[in-house]
Amino acid sequence: MYAKSNPSDARANNRRLLFRLLFPDRQLSRADLCKETGLSRATATDVTGEMIDDGLLRELGSRKRDGRGKPGTLLAIDTDVLRLICIDLSRPYVMTGAVMDLRARIVERRERVLDDGDRVDLDDVLSLVGQMIRLAGSGLVGIGVAVPGVVSGTGRVISSSNLGWDDVELRDMLEGEFSLPARVDNDANAALLADHFLGHGNPNCLLVQITRGIGASVLLNDEFVDGDDHAAGEIGHVVIDPNGPACTCGKRGCLEAYVSAIALRDRIRRDPNRRADILAEAGARLGEALVMPVSLLNLHDIAVYGPPDIVGETLLNACDETVNSLSRNDYQSGMRVRRCELGDDATLRGQAVSVLREIVGGRGLYAATTQVDKSCLEAAQLDGCSKLRCY
C-alpha cells in the first residue's frame, strides 16, 4: 500500500530546491528556475512569490535582453530581512557566536574565552545565544550550534568527550528557552556543509576537521553518512598504536593523540626545531587512518579543515602521498587531499547552512517577523539577564 502524497511536502521540497539553486549568490529569473528544475511556470511563480513574502527571496529588477520579448525579473537570496544565530563550540579555549544573514555571511560576531580550558558550561552557551539575540534584534528565524561529538538527528548531544557532555537535549533546551527553531549538528558535518555549498566540495567527499580533537564527515551522492548511532566520522578515538601516548578518553595511541591541533602544538612547543618533521609525521599518520575508508567508499576528494599553523603544505603533502601510495591500484584514479579554504569561520557558516536547510522548507519560519520588545531588551541589559526568558 502506498502512502498518500502530502501537498505540503511537495511545496516544502520546491522551496528548498529553488533556494538551493539561488544559494549563495546566484541571480536567476523565474524562467531560468523553471528550466533548471522542470517546474511549471505557475508553480515557480507561486512558490517564489511565497518566498518573497517570507523574506527569503527578493526581486532585483529586469536583466538586459538583446532579443525580443519582455526581459525576466531576476531573483536572489534576500539578505536584508532575516537573521540566524550560530554558535561554534569546536575550537579550543573559545566559544564563538555570530549573527548571520541568509547567505551564511557573518553580520555580527562575539567570542568568549573559556576559563576552564576547553570545558563548556551549558549556561554559558545559553548566555552567548541570548547575547547574539540582543545584537540581532528582529527578524530571527533560527539558531544553530556546532558541537564536537556525537549528535543525534533530533539535536541531542549523545556524547562529547571534549566538552564533557553526555545525553544533553540541547535542541529542545534552545527551542524551549528562546522560542526559535534550532539545529544542533556535529562540527565536522557543519564544516563539510560549508565546504560543499560555499567552497570547493564535491557530492562525494570526506572532510577531516582538526581542531580541539579530530572528527570526520562523509558525503555520498550529496547525502550525509550518519551511521546507526549517528557516530559516523568519529575517528578521533580510533587506536592506531596501542603503545602510543595516553589520550583524554583513557585509551592509548588514539588518532587524536597524534593529530589534534592541541597535541601537535604541544609537541612543536617542546621541540620547535622539529616542526616540519612533526607535521609530516602527523600527515602520514592521518593518511594511514584514511586509506581504508576512502578506498572502501571509492572517494577521490579529501578536504582537511583546521588552523593554518597545523593544516599547511607539510601535513597535507604527507597525507596525500601516504593515501595515494597505500591505496593506488589499477582501477582507481588518484585521490586529492586539499585544504578547506574557508578560514576560521567555516564551521559557523556551515552551521548556518544547516539551519537554512531546516527552515526554508517550513519548520519554524514563524519567527520571521518576531520583534523583541525594546523595554525587555533594556531591562535585560540592565539586570544582567542574558537569556531573555521573556523572548
Side-chain angles (χ1 to χ4, degrees):
M1 183 175 180
Y2 295 100
K4 292 182 178 179
S5 61
N6 190 333
S8 64
D9 291 341
R11 179 173 290 274
N13 289 335
N14 287 337
R15 285 165 62 100
R16 293 190 189 98
L17 178 60
L18 297 180
F19 191 90
R20 178 168 181 173
L21 283 175
L22 292 165
F23 184 83
D25 53 13
R26 293 183 77 192
Q27 300 177 9
L28 299 172
S29 69
R30 289 174 178 84
D32 295 329
L33 294 172
C34 291
K35 184 183 297 185
E36 294 200 27
T37 63
L39 294 175
S40 69
R41 183 60 182 263
T43 298
T45 299
D46 182 37
V47 175
T48 55
E50 180 184 86
M51 295 174 74
I52 290 170
D53 291 340
D54 284 344
L56 296 169
L57 304 181
R58 63 178 174 181
E59 293 183 333
L60 300 178
S62 300
R63 62 155 49 122
K64 293 182 179 179
R65 186 179 179 91
D66 296 329
R68 296 180 178 179
K70 183 179 179 181
T73 300
L74 293 174
L75 299 172
I77 305 296
D78 193 333
T79 59
D80 295 334
V81 179
L82 305 181
R83 294 290 182 260
L84 316 171
I85 302 294
C86 289
I87 308 294
D88 178 13
L89 303 180
S90 69
R91 297 166 63 192
Y93 309 118
V94 67
M95 287 192 303
T96 306
V99 179
M100 312 188 75
D101 67 16
L102 297 194
R103 285 173 57 185
R105 299 180 306 183
I106 294 174
V107 179
E108 295 274 1
R109 67 178 292 145
R110 294 291 186 274
E111 293 184 348
R112 291 195 181 182
V113 176
L114 302 173
D115 294 328
D116 185 20
D118 58 359
R119 298 292 172 172
V120 176
D121 188 87
L122 282 168
D123 285 338
D124 290 336
V125 176
L126 296 176
S127 174
L128 183 55
V129 173
Q131 180 184 7
M132 303 317 299
I133 285 175
R134 292 197 298 275
L135 287 173
S138 62
L140 293 174
V141 291
I143 301 168
V145 181
V147 177
V150 181
V151 182
S152 76
T154 61
R156 176 170 62 95
V157 181
I158 298 170
S159 175
S160 177
S161 58
N162 286 311
L163 301 183
W165 293 359
D166 286 296
D167 199 25
V168 176
E169 296 284 359
L170 186 54
R171 193 189 82 175
D172 289 348
M173 189 180 301
L174 290 165
E175 294 188 342
E177 191 74 29
F178 302 108
S179 298
L180 286 165
R183 280 285 311 183
V184 179
D185 295 284
N186 170 266
D187 57 341
N189 283 1
L192 182 52
L193 275 176
D195 186 69
H196 184 59
F197 285 99
L198 304 167
H200 304 289
N202 294 305
N204 298 290
C205 178
L206 182 148
L207 179 138
V208 177
Q209 177 162 286
I210 301 176
T211 51
R212 66 170 79 219
I214 294 286
S217 183
V218 178
L219 273 182
L220 288 181
N221 299 320
D222 258 346
E223 295 289 340
F224 276 112
V225 177
D226 291 324
D228 288 341
D229 301 310
H230 308 283
E234 290 296 310
I235 63 172
H237 297 290
V238 172
V239 174
I240 60 174
D241 181 2
N243 299 315
C247 181
T248 56
C249 72
K251 297 183 290 188
R252 303 191 69 87
C254 293
L255 181 63
E256 188 169 295
Y258 286 99
V259 188
S260 72
I262 292 176
L264 289 173
R265 283 169 175 160
D266 184 57
R267 289 185 62 193
I268 292 169
R269 178 185 57 78
R270 288 187 277 109
D271 195 357
N273 293 328
R274 294 193 63 250
R275 181 178 185 277
D277 292 336
I278 291 169
L279 292 175
E281 178 188 340
R285 290 278 192 180
L286 180 60
E288 291 168 0
L290 295 180
V291 167
M292 186 64 73
V294 298
S295 297
L296 178 69
L297 299 175
N298 190 28
L299 298 174
H300 296 146
D301 186 22
I302 304 169
V304 184
Y305 172 57
D309 62 311
I310 299 299
V311 184
E313 287 189 7
T314 301
L315 184 146
L316 293 172
N317 288 343
C319 183
D320 186 281
E321 181 179 346
T322 301
V323 168
N324 279 288
S325 64
L326 296 181
S327 64
R328 185 168 296 137
N329 49 53
D330 294 336
Y331 54 84
Q332 186 170 6
S333 58
M335 302 173 189
R336 177 181 63 143
V337 178
R338 60 180 174 83
R339 174 177 168 77
C340 174
E341 299 178 352
L342 292 174
D344 291 341
D345 295 323
T347 304
L348 274 175
R349 299 188 70 194
Q351 191 60 35
V353 174
S354 179
V355 176
L356 286 168
R357 282 155 56 102
E358 182 90 353
I359 67 172
V360 166
R363 194 189 84 85
L365 202 59
Y366 57 79
T369 57
T370 298
Q371 299 286 335
V372 179
D373 187 270
K374 290 183 179 179
S375 62
C376 174
L377 284 175
E378 292 168 358
Q381 291 164 349
L382 287 172
D383 68 13
C385 168
S386 60
K387 299 178 187 175
L388 286 175
R389 295 183 184 277
C390 53
Y391 177 57

